[in-house]
Amino acid sequence: MSKKKHSKRNNKKPIRSSKDSEALVFTQLNNPFSGLSQEAIDEMLIEAGRSHEREFKESLEKLVEKINSVDVLHLLSLLAVYGLTVGMTERGKTSKNKNPTIHQAHVELVQAIALRSSTSEQSSEPIQPHQFQEMWDLLISFEAAFNFKRLVQIKNANTDQKREILQIQEWLRLHTTIVRNWGYFKRVISITKRLYSGLNPLFETSVGLEATSIIDLFENRVRYVEEVNTERFRQIRTVFKTRTIEEAIKTYHEIYQLPGSVEEATAFMRERGATLKEVHFLILSHSDLFIAEKFSFTLEAIASSMNIEPVALECALSKLSYQFGDLKDSNPEHFFLGNPVWTKPLIKLPTGKYFCVIPQVFFSFIFQALDSLLSAEELKREVQDKRRPKFLEDEIKQLFTQAFPQAVFKQNFKWKDLNVEYESDFLMQIDSYLLIVEAKSGAVSRSALRGAPGSAKDDIQELLVSPAIQSKRFANKIMELKAKQVFPETFQALNFDLNAIQTIIRLSVTLEDFATIQSQVSRLKDTGWIDKDFSATPTITLADLEVVFDILTSVPQKIHYLVRRAELEEHIMQYRGHELDLLGLYLKTGFNLGKEEFEPKELIISGMSEKVDEYYVALDEDIIRKKPSLELIKWWKDIQLRIEERCPYRWSEVAVMLLNVSLDEQRKAEREFKILTRNVKKNWRQSEHIDDSIIMHLPQRREAVGLLAFRESEQDQRRQFMQTLAGLSFSETNAERCLVIGVNIDDQNWYPYSLLDVFQRN
């Protein structure tokens, strides 16, 4: 290192941007209403709402008429097979439909409307291809009309606060209308089985079957439907591979064991001049006639295959099914936000068989479906007051102790402040971090998910706001005790090194999804439902937290994710997306968003969970794919591994600072440092030798990272050089602390570093 006076040196080499940057690019979307007054915009939206109101009423009448004019079991089967079936390759890649399609909610709607009519009022005519296409298009436009007709409500939102409340209501309603998955299939089954296994005796007494047996029943049906669809498309592919009309008809007859003459059918097609392609699609259409019978099952068959007592099974199935005509008094307009099919997805047929074409509905609403089987008293006493709270607290304990095996923790810690007793659900000290986790196992009310403002406000207060206030209260108490250096006996019993704590991370964990509102509680401030000075904390569902910890395999990344999630919540960064979209954003950027994090814009991150989704969807089908991961250069990974092995005091903070450096900056730093090292080795004796330090400034987080190269002969001065480099970063940037990574370039075994230290301003 140069022997010239450090006060005059200017050998800092800042990281420059380069054309090969792989940082996430944000695209600004222009407001289509820009330049218009709010009054003009409102008038346009209200008129659009009125138009959709008229369209909705007309479409509803058409839909009911069309459903009653065809065989509803045939219709439901076709909608499910062609609308809800997704192809998957052997490598776990799913096919994507770019055309407008129907969703599970559409099939649920048709099933509920069909259940309004008795069997005698229904048609037995199979639906024709042109009728099916009309129904398909109608369902898509019908749903849009239902959602957009509520634009007329804008006329009552005459203040900013009312507008914000209306936005939250619509958020809840749209989610309730169309979104169905609150977790990946196998994880949903795993979580609910763990929860309800402790309630098996209660269910066996009240319902006839254990709760876990009911879950097994619907898992069996889901797998069966998948097998039926897979086999059917395999058979159709076999037909489509034929090279002649005669071969196509013969293959079709053999697969479906059809009566009649192949020769006569072939001659019939040729007389009419049909092409091979037309014959293929005619066969596909004809094979649709046999679909519905595949989705019916008898009580005896299921009882035998699952080794269940028929009497017990019949008792359970009767509580999970409707018969045609049972919903005759129901208003079909209410089916969008409160469909009875959600808790009773089976149809009991007049023949005594049961029909189930969308068994996945049970898992979409599994908490409500299972809870509906119990009496109100049993539900409150055994499930809500006892089982759910203990289950969630135990799951949190297991999840965090597995994620941070070396950390110390305390569960259900009782403490007092001003003679008022409080309880913190879960506390964990990880090096210099204190993690405070509050558990909320309460159910989200159906009225809240329908957008009822009173219910929504109450549930938000109970499930999202209250735990955040509790964790903030405890955090404030810890900081107060640290400042006074007086720790009451109660706090001493924690067995934490409270003086070592530098940063507190607060987190809330819920059992149920709250229409993804829990992913960004801070955006509720403008509704007036929470105080303006409310200190928001990240709220993550148990299912999502399991995925976050499963994907982020290293301890530093888990800590960094929780730290940065808390910071994003604190900075009130506006975004549209759910927790796993945030996880996808993290894997892409490490949450290194630069100025975008602090600018008053709304980021659209929906869809960023795609790689995570693909991984778990494939895993649900027992297809192992490479787990998505945060990309880091090898040097950065190895530094983290080394400090995690050695665990010096505040190692976790160093790991977080390293992860605050983006992948692009890591690569540029590595390139620059290699050049710098060569120059230092060559020119270090010269007083004006080429720069021997690099500073990366992270202005938004008021941090800097310095890389320092020195020779063996300068070993005694290395601490001074590091301190000088840190001081330089403080004088030229707004950094409050600086991590300096020192490398003795003469040491053959320096990798991944020789020494490092964190310096604080002043």
Side-chain angles (χ1 to χ4, degrees):
M1 179 173 281
S2 169
K3 299 299 189 292
K4 64 182 179 179
K5 293 183 180 179
H6 290 292
S7 60
K8 296 181 180 180
R9 65 185 286 174
N10 189 26
N11 58 349
K12 172 176 70 71
K13 197 167 189 177
I15 297 297
R16 296 179 292 273
S17 61
S18 67
K19 293 182 180 179
D20 64 345
S21 172
E22 295 185 11
L24 188 67
V25 176
F26 293 97
T27 302
Q28 181 167 324
L29 301 178
N30 296 322
N31 185 347
F33 298 112
S34 179
L36 297 176
S37 67
Q38 188 61 54
E39 291 77 11
I41 295 171
D42 288 351
E43 187 176 337
M44 291 171 58
L45 294 177
I46 291 169
E47 181 54 39
R50 288 173 179 152
S51 174
H52 283 292
E53 243 180 349
R54 294 189 292 269
E55 181 186 345
F56 175 78
K57 291 178 180 178
E58 293 171 1
S59 297
L60 179 57
E61 292 176 1
K62 287 182 183 178
L63 186 64
V64 172
E65 180 184 348
K66 288 181 180 295
I67 290 173
N68 289 334
S69 67
V70 297
D71 182 339
V72 293
L73 300 185
H74 187 220
L75 170 61
L76 286 168
S77 301
L78 290 182
L79 289 173
V81 168
Y82 288 106
L84 308 184
T85 302
V86 177
M88 178 177 288
T89 67
E90 292 181 356
R91 300 180 63 184
K93 292 288 287 185
T94 56
S95 59
K96 293 180 174 61
N97 191 342
K98 296 181 180 180
N99 299 319
T101 187
I102 64 169
H103 304 286
Q104 181 179 312
H106 296 117
V107 188
E108 296 164 359
L109 176 66
V110 172
Q111 182 164 319
I113 291 176
L115 287 166
R116 295 175 72 238
S117 304
S118 64
T119 307
S120 61
E121 297 174 297
Q122 294 176 352
S123 171
S124 59
E125 290 294 318
I127 188 169
Q128 299 299 314
H130 73 278
Q131 292 175 303
F132 182 67
Q133 186 62 55
E134 290 172 1
M135 181 71 72
W136 184 286
D137 296 337
L138 182 57
L139 282 168
I140 293 173
S141 62
F142 185 48
E143 179 208 334
F146 174 76
N147 292 322
F148 289 127
K149 76 186 183 73
R150 293 193 298 274
L151 287 171
V152 295
Q153 297 175 20
I154 292 174
K155 63 184 178 184
N156 300 319
N158 50 15
T159 66
D160 290 342
Q161 188 177 98
K162 288 181 178 180
R163 287 177 183 276
E164 288 298 323
I165 292 174
L166 185 59
Q167 281 195 32
I168 296 300
Q169 288 178 281
E170 285 308 299
W171 184 346
L172 290 165
R173 289 165 181 157
L174 285 170
H175 188 279
T176 302
T177 300
I178 202 69
V179 179
R180 290 296 176 264
N181 298 325
W182 59 269
Y184 300 111
F185 186 60
K186 283 187 176 179
R187 288 186 175 273
V188 167
I189 291 174
S190 176
I191 289 173
T192 50
K193 276 194 170 183
R194 297 198 305 269
L195 169 59
Y196 284 94
S197 61
L199 296 164
N200 273 339
L202 174 64
F203 272 82
E204 190 168 21
T205 301
S206 300
V207 184
L209 278 185
E210 293 182 343
T212 51
S213 294
I214 297 173
I215 296 171
D216 288 339
L217 168 66
F218 280 94
E219 182 183 7
N220 174 283
R221 289 292 88 193
V222 168
R223 295 305 183 191
Y224 172 78
V225 168
E226 290 175 350
E227 290 169 5
V228 166
N229 289 332
T230 300
E231 178 61 17
R232 177 173 182 275
F233 282 110
R234 186 194 66 78
Q235 293 170 340
I236 293 301
R237 275 201 306 270
T238 302
V239 173
F240 273 43
K241 287 179 181 179
T242 56
R243 301 295 183 87
T244 66
I245 293 176
E246 183 177 12
E247 184 185 0
I249 296 174
K250 180 181 179 182
T251 302
Y252 179 50
H253 273 242
E254 289 175 350
I255 289 174
Y256 283 84
Q257 298 181 348
L258 300 177
S261 168
V262 172
E263 291 74 15
E264 289 180 6
T266 302
F268 180 82
M269 291 297 173
R270 284 179 174 157
E271 284 175 10
R272 282 155 179 74
T275 65
L276 177 62
K277 185 176 181 180
E278 289 172 339
V279 170
H280 281 163
F281 282 100
L282 183 62
I283 288 173
L284 173 64
S285 178
H286 189 267
S287 70
D288 288 344
L289 297 173
F290 309 116
I291 288 182
E293 64 188 47
K294 296 287 187 181
F295 301 118
S296 299
F297 62 91
T298 65
L299 176 73
E300 293 74 20
I302 294 295
S304 175
S305 66
M306 298 190 66
N307 196 25
I308 299 174
E309 282 292 328
V311 175
L313 181 59
E314 184 175 20
C315 178
L317 293 183
S318 66
K319 295 186 176 184
L320 289 161
S321 60
Y322 285 111
Q323 298 184 56
F324 286 114
D326 281 353
L327 301 182
K328 62 181 179 180
D329 297 325
S330 300
N331 185 343
E333 189 171 343
H334 297 165
F335 294 158
F336 286 91
L337 297 174
N339 196 327
V341 167
W342 293 343
T343 55
K344 293 186 177 185
L346 305 178
I347 299 176
K348 187 173 183 180
L349 304 176
T351 60
K353 287 185 175 182
Y354 291 87
F355 179 85
C356 184
V357 75
I358 43 174
Q360 62 269 35
V361 171
F362 174 79
F363 293 103
S364 300
F365 301 92
I366 190 167
F367 295 128
Q368 298 95 313
L370 288 174
D371 291 350
S372 69
L373 301 175
L374 303 174
S375 68
E377 182 183 348
E378 289 173 327
L379 178 61
K380 185 176 189 313
R381 184 184 67 245
E382 301 298 331
V383 182
Q384 297 173 348
D385 294 346
K386 291 183 182 179
R387 180 60 185 161
R388 287 172 64 116
K390 185 179 187 309
F391 168 78
L392 184 57
E393 290 173 2
D394 289 347
E395 289 288 308
I396 289 171
K397 173 186 172 182
Q398 183 173 356
L399 195 56
F400 278 92
T401 53
Q402 288 179 348
F404 307 104
Q406 304 302 321
V408 292
F409 69 92
K410 183 70 174 179
Q411 193 175 17
N412 304 124
F413 177 64
K414 292 181 172 60
W415 55 282
K416 285 187 177 182
D417 189 33
L418 300 177
N419 292 322
V420 179
E421 185 173 82
Y422 300 102
E423 182 176 348
S424 296
D425 293 331
F426 185 82
L427 306 172
M428 175 173 273
Q429 183 174 5
I430 312 166
D431 184 37
S432 58
Y433 286 99
L434 174 64
L435 182 64
I436 307 172
V437 184
E438 293 296 330
K440 275 297 176 181
S441 62
V444 183
S445 66
R446 301 312 304 171
S447 55
L449 293 175
R450 289 194 293 269
S455 299
K457 180 180 178 181
D458 290 345
D459 283 2
I460 286 169
Q461 184 68 37
E462 172 64 23
L463 301 175
L464 308 182
V465 176
S466 176
I469 293 174
Q470 172 72 347
S471 63
K472 180 63 174 175
R473 183 188 294 117
F474 185 77
N476 290 343
K477 186 65 178 179
I478 291 295
M479 299 311 294
E480 174 193 324
L481 296 176
K482 276 177 56 67
K484 294 179 179 179
Q485 283 297 294
V486 176
F487 300 103
E489 186 176 341
T490 305
F491 285 83
Q492 293 177 24
L494 273 173
N495 293 323
F496 290 178
D497 183 358
L498 297 178
N499 281 318
I501 294 170
Q502 300 295 321
T503 305
I504 296 176
I505 308 171
R506 297 159 50 231
L507 177 69
S508 297
V509 179
T510 61
L511 187 55
E512 290 193 22
D513 174 64
F514 200 149
T516 73
I517 283 181
Q518 74 279 349
S519 294
Q520 195 184 9
V521 181
S522 56
R523 74 179 301 138
L524 297 169
K525 288 187 176 182
D526 292 336
T527 62
W529 290 354
I530 58 179
D531 295 336
K532 288 289 185 181
D533 59 352
F534 169 70
S535 179
T537 184
T539 302
I540 307 178
T541 65
L542 176 65
D544 286 347
L545 190 59
E546 282 187 353
V547 171
V548 170
F549 281 0
D550 184 48
I551 291 292
L552 305 180
T553 54
S554 79
V555 169
Q557 288 178 26
K558 291 182 179 76
I559 297 173
H560 185 243
Y561 186 89
L562 295 176
V563 169
R564 292 292 292 124
R565 270 291 280 115
E567 290 176 352
L568 293 181
E569 201 76 35
E570 181 184 347
H571 300 153
I572 320 180
M573 185 190 74
Q574 300 292 309
Y575 56 84
R576 291 282 178 178
H578 53 75
E579 190 66 40
L580 298 188
D581 287 324
L582 283 168
L583 177 60
L585 179 65
Y586 180 80
L587 295 177
K588 181 75 174 176
T589 66
F591 284 153
N592 295 302
L593 306 177
K595 63 181 181 179
E596 301 291 345
E597 180 179 335
F598 299 87
E599 292 188 350
K601 297 176 182 176
E602 183 172 67
L603 302 182
I604 309 299
I605 63 173
S606 296
M608 293 210 69
S609 65
E610 182 178 9
K611 289 185 177 180
V612 178
D613 295 338
E614 288 180 348
Y615 171 76
Y616 284 106
V617 169
L619 206 60
D620 284 344
E621 300 303 320
D622 298 321
I623 299 172
I624 306 300
R625 298 182 58 184
K626 184 180 178 181
K627 184 179 291 187
S629 62
L630 173 65
E631 189 175 355
L632 303 168
I633 64 171
K634 186 177 184 303
W635 186 21
W636 241 242
K637 286 181 183 177
D638 292 340
I639 293 175
Q640 289 184 62
L641 287 172
R642 177 67 61 84
I643 62 176
E644 191 178 350
E645 288 171 0
R646 294 180 174 179
C647 285
Y649 172 50
R650 300 180 73 172
W651 68 268
S652 54
E653 295 177 62
V654 174
V656 167
M657 292 182 74
L658 284 168
L659 288 168
N660 282 342
V661 179
S662 70
L663 177 62
D664 186 52
E665 290 170 322
Q666 294 169 34
R667 287 171 172 163
K668 287 183 286 186
E670 186 175 46
R671 288 197 300 269
E672 298 277 6
F673 195 70
K674 286 178 179 177
I675 296 171
L676 180 149
T677 300
R678 289 196 295 269
N679 288 331
V680 170
K681 285 184 176 180
K682 182 178 179 181
N683 304 309
W684 72 281
R685 293 182 183 278
Q686 301 177 19
S687 60
E688 297 297 329
H689 73 269
I690 296 177
D691 308 346
D692 58 354
S693 62
I694 299 173
I695 293 178
M696 291 172 286
H697 179 216
L698 310 172
Q700 285 76 25
R701 286 195 281 281
R702 303 174 74 85
E703 290 179 355
V705 178
L707 303 177
L708 177 70
F710 61 90
R711 307 292 310 253
E712 179 69 30
S713 60
E714 302 171 310
Q715 188 82 337
D716 294 341
Q717 298 171 281
R718 65 190 187 281
R719 292 288 179 186
Q720 177 190 340
F721 296 157
M722 294 174 77
Q723 190 169 1
T724 301
L725 180 56
L728 188 63
S729 75
F730 295 143
S731 65
E732 298 192 2
T733 72
N734 69 343
E736 291 295 328
R737 60 179 183 170
C738 177
L739 167 64
V740 180
I741 303 171
V743 173
N744 181 349
I745 59 177
D746 292 329
D747 184 357
Q748 295 283 327
N749 301 312
W750 69 265
Y751 186 84
Y753 63 87
S754 300
L755 72 164
L756 51 81
D757 207 344
V758 177
F759 296 86
Q760 198 81 22
R761 184 183 287 271
N762 299 328

